[in-house]
Amino acid sequence: MAGTASPSTPTTESSPGGELDARYGRSTGRRKRSRLLVLGAAIVFVALFAAWVVWGGLDGTTADIDVRDTGYVLTDSTATVRFEITMDPGTAATCAVQALDDSFEIIGWKIVEIPASTERTRGFVETVRTVIRPNTGLIYRCWLA
């Protein structure tokens, strides 16, 4: 059989380029594993992103509340705070009203329950007792009840 060519195909290790590919980790099996790894990471990323979008933005169940100070009146021992609160009708809230001195330290504090109403925006006036003359009165924070 000296004159006939063998029908075998060259293997990866027998060809000159194949030996270098095997030596430096560029085999076909490694390429397949790399592709599968990248595809798997992309699928995980897309799934996490979709879950985040649904959780954070598309559920539509988040209620909103907005509070705005409209003024205050001060005496030697009180701060009367005027404010507007805007929230969905039928929603109750709780607000913290505070009075501050010249050093911006809290010298009076009051928690106010805001009942549910059919109106979206309502105005309120609350008086906070203080231990010394206040410098300002304001809403610290409101949250849904």
Side-chain angles (χ1 to χ4, degrees):
M1 285 208 220
T4 62
S6 84
S8 67
T9 58
T11 62
T12 306
E13 275 84 23
S14 66
S15 66
E19 289 176 14
L20 290 176
D21 287 346
R23 175 186 250 172
Y24 294 107
R26 295 183 297 217
S27 64
T28 57
R30 182 160 173 96
R31 277 184 248 155
K32 287 179 183 178
R33 282 190 302 273
S34 296
R35 285 182 189 152
L36 284 175
L37 183 63
V38 169
L39 181 64
I43 290 171
V44 168
F45 175 77
V46 168
L48 287 176
F49 182 74
W52 175 75
V53 166
V54 169
W55 174 75
L58 297 180
D59 62 0
T61 60
T62 59
D64 194 20
I65 186 169
D66 186 36
V67 181
R68 185 173 64 111
D69 292 314
T70 57
Y72 57 88
V73 177
L74 307 173
T75 66
D76 286 338
S77 61
T78 62
T80 301
V81 180
R82 292 188 313 263
F83 62 98
E84 286 183 351
I85 186 166
T86 303
M87 59 187 171
D88 293 335
T91 305
T94 305
C95 293
V97 184
Q98 65 183 11
L100 306 176
D101 66 3
D102 295 337
S103 302
F104 300 106
E105 294 178 4
I106 300 171
I107 56 172
W109 180 275
K110 185 177 184 181
I111 301 294
V112 180
E113 301 290 329
I114 308 294
S117 173
T118 58
E119 297 177 28
R120 184 163 178 78
T121 301
R122 296 180 286 162
F124 294 93
V125 178
E126 290 295 329
T127 301
V128 179
R129 292 179 170 252
T130 61
V131 292
I132 60 173
R133 181 168 178 80
N135 186 36
T136 188
L138 51 90
I139 296 296
Y140 172 69
R141 181 177 295 155
C142 289
W143 57 95
L144 297 173

